[in-house]
Amino acid sequence: MSRVYNFSAGPSCLPEEVLKECAAEMMDYNGSGQSVMEMSHRSKYFEPIIEDAENMVRKLMNVPENYKVLFLQGGGSTQFAMVAENLGIKNKKAAYIETGVWAKKAAQEAQRLGVQVDVIASSKDKNYSYIPKVEKIEGDYDYAYICFNNTIMGTHYEYIPDTGNIPLVADISSCVLSEPLDVSKFGLLFAGAQKNLAPSGVTLVIIREDLIPEVENCLPGTPVMLSYKTHADNGSMYNTPPCYTIYVLGKVLHWIEKNGGAEGMAKRNKEKADYLYDFLDSSDFYRATAEKGSRSLMNVPFLTKYSTGNTDEQSAAKEKEINSKFVKEAEQAGFINLKGHRLVGGMRASIYNAMSLEGVKALVEFMKKFAEENK
């Protein structure tokens, strides 16, 4: 079977060049006679792998010297707790901008841990289809929190809120290294790797050193493993790290560098997204759900404009039927994981760094054909 076009929101497609390199080294990495999957994280072979991965993150993201780069486990969901436990310790108060499921879950986790959460803005009124404009965040907050790119809703910040001296925390899981980002404007950034960087299993954390408290100064009851200090002091190897995922991450970072770095990715991603959004906006059969000015370059949810002139209930049932047919026929044609999240419905094309322009153009051609056959 030939390769499919994988539009999954995560785990997502990886660069084929990287997959081939990993396959070639599966049985014998760098003359070690073993796979990275099975080698000790304390070995002379693995230590250069994790060091190179950190160096590449620093290089590609222009990470200032006073920031730590950590490779942790537990995904973004664990970061919801770690952020509150490590940063919400002075006034036990934080500001959250609610732009979808993941920002909401992060806020709920902080509340559960005893942090007072002020939702200072929300786009819930329009089913999270836009990013609220918050020019400045002020107050006695320990930190302010945003989800920079909302995977489910397909929205993205086109600005960085001014927080003054309040540390800004951002979940960048679904947009990391898709475009340049000024790390110095944030106190902490985190990203699950399974969308733009690597297979699932490792979470990248970039945190300003002065924000890392001693273990005993975290919120009461914080486990040692959920202290940033624990991992910062041990080079991300306090316990066994996800070695193979870090190995693949390093290769993806070199692929990004070879293709122009963050700037190159931004150009590539804008071209893909513009092609798809332009088609959706000009179509009389489909429509994008995210508002202009807040649209993600990575995740593009869309619906059909199907209408029979019947009751709303009948039209909704027919649209659901058409959407299901679309997903099924798309998969048969080699376009997989296009089903939209239940909160938005319809379809969603996630076009991360590794997705080619060729793949997006092929999808659009399928969409044109499907529309003609189902009008």
Side-chain angles (χ1 to χ4, degrees):
M1 182 179 179
S2 59
R3 291 274 293 174
V4 296
Y5 290 114
N6 181 6
F7 292 93
S8 171
S12 65
C13 59
L14 289 165
E16 290 191 10
E17 179 182 319
V18 170
L19 292 174
K20 289 174 181 176
E21 285 181 16
C22 294
E25 295 174 346
M26 179 58 75
M27 299 298 289
D28 180 11
Y29 172 74
N30 199 25
S32 66
Q34 59 189 310
S35 170
V36 177
M37 275 190 181
E38 55 192 348
M39 66 175 51
S40 167
H41 61 297
R42 304 292 183 189
S43 71
K44 66 179 182 179
Y45 294 104
F46 183 73
E47 288 186 10
I49 290 174
I50 194 169
E51 288 172 4
D52 177 65
E54 177 178 340
N55 289 338
M56 287 303 296
V57 169
R58 290 187 176 278
K59 181 178 182 180
L60 292 172
M61 296 185 70
N62 294 313
V63 179
E65 290 185 6
N66 63 323
Y67 284 70
K68 290 286 187 181
V69 173
L70 308 176
F71 300 110
L72 307 183
Q73 298 176 68
S77 295
T78 298
Q79 289 308 302
F80 300 164
M82 287 187 75
V83 166
E85 289 171 325
N86 288 260
L87 273 63
I89 56 178
K90 184 180 179 182
N91 298 315
K92 294 184 173 57
K93 186 177 177 183
Y96 280 69
I97 299 178
E98 186 184 289
T99 50
V101 172
W102 302 115
K104 185 176 180 179
K105 286 190 174 184
Q108 290 172 337
E109 187 74 346
Q111 284 180 314
R112 197 184 69 79
L113 291 166
V115 174
Q116 177 187 322
V117 169
D118 288 353
V119 177
I120 59 171
S122 173
S123 53
K124 186 178 180 180
D125 61 322
K126 292 186 179 179
N127 197 30
Y128 304 115
S129 61
Y130 69 99
I131 298 294
K133 190 71 174 177
V134 181
E135 298 286 356
K136 191 171 182 62
I137 300 175
E138 297 177 303
D140 57 344
Y141 297 115
D142 292 328
Y143 63 91
Y145 184 103
I146 61 174
C147 182
F148 210 67
N149 188 87
N150 297 279
T151 318
I152 292 173
M153 306 302 178
T155 58
H156 176 73
Y157 279 80
E158 295 193 356
Y159 72 100
I160 298 174
D162 178 4
T163 60
N165 293 324
I166 303 168
L168 179 60
V169 175
D171 175 355
I172 57 169
S173 294
S174 53
C175 63
V176 60
L177 277 170
S178 64
E179 61 186 347
L181 189 64
D182 186 350
V183 173
S184 70
K185 292 186 179 298
F186 299 85
L188 186 152
L189 296 163
F190 70 84
Q194 69 275 10
K195 302 172 188 292
N196 254 346
L197 297 178
S200 60
V202 68
T203 304
L204 172 67
V205 173
I206 302 172
I207 180 171
R208 208 172 68 213
E209 291 178 356
D210 64 291
L211 297 177
I212 302 175
E214 297 294 332
V215 178
E216 59 270 20
N217 292 333
C218 293
L219 289 182
T222 298
V224 170
M225 274 294 290
L226 296 187
S227 160
Y228 291 123
K229 180 77 170 171
T230 297
H231 304 285
D233 285 353
N234 290 278
S236 299
M237 291 205 285
Y238 176 77
N239 67 325
T240 306
C243 298
Y244 196 78
T245 306
I246 293 171
Y247 155 78
V248 179
L249 182 145
K251 288 188 176 295
V252 172
L253 294 177
H254 282 283
W255 175 84
I256 290 173
E257 181 183 42
K258 192 166 78 171
N259 285 276
E263 293 80 6
M265 291 297 104
K267 181 180 178 182
R268 172 190 178 99
N269 292 327
K270 189 175 187 307
E271 187 176 11
K272 290 183 296 183
D274 284 350
Y275 193 89
L276 183 50
Y277 282 122
D278 286 348
F279 168 71
L280 290 170
D281 290 340
S282 65
S283 173
D284 60 0
F285 189 82
Y286 305 98
R287 66 179 177 87
T289 61
E291 294 185 8
K292 291 182 179 180
S294 296
R295 288 177 170 178
S296 169
L297 298 181
M298 299 283 92
N299 313 101
V300 185
F302 59 95
L303 304 172
T304 58
K305 294 179 182 176
Y306 192 91
S307 176
T308 61
N310 297 319
T311 66
D312 288 347
E313 187 176 328
Q314 288 173 318
S315 293
K318 189 62 179 177
E319 180 165 357
K320 187 175 181 181
E321 179 186 325
I322 288 291
N323 291 341
S324 296
K325 185 181 181 185
F326 179 98
V327 172
K328 182 179 179 180
E329 292 187 9
E331 185 168 346
Q332 292 170 347
F335 305 97
I336 67 169
N337 295 315
L338 281 164
K339 184 177 181 180
H341 192 276
R342 65 184 182 278
L343 294 177
V344 180
M347 286 69 66
R348 173 179 53 181
S350 291
I351 50 176
Y352 297 119
N353 286 350
M355 175 56 66
S356 64
L357 178 60
E358 174 193 31
V360 174
K361 287 184 174 181
L363 173 62
V364 168
E365 289 307 305
F366 169 81
M367 292 170 70
K368 289 177 181 176
K369 180 174 179 289
F370 183 86
E372 285 299 317
E373 293 173 352
N374 291 276
K375 280 183 178 177

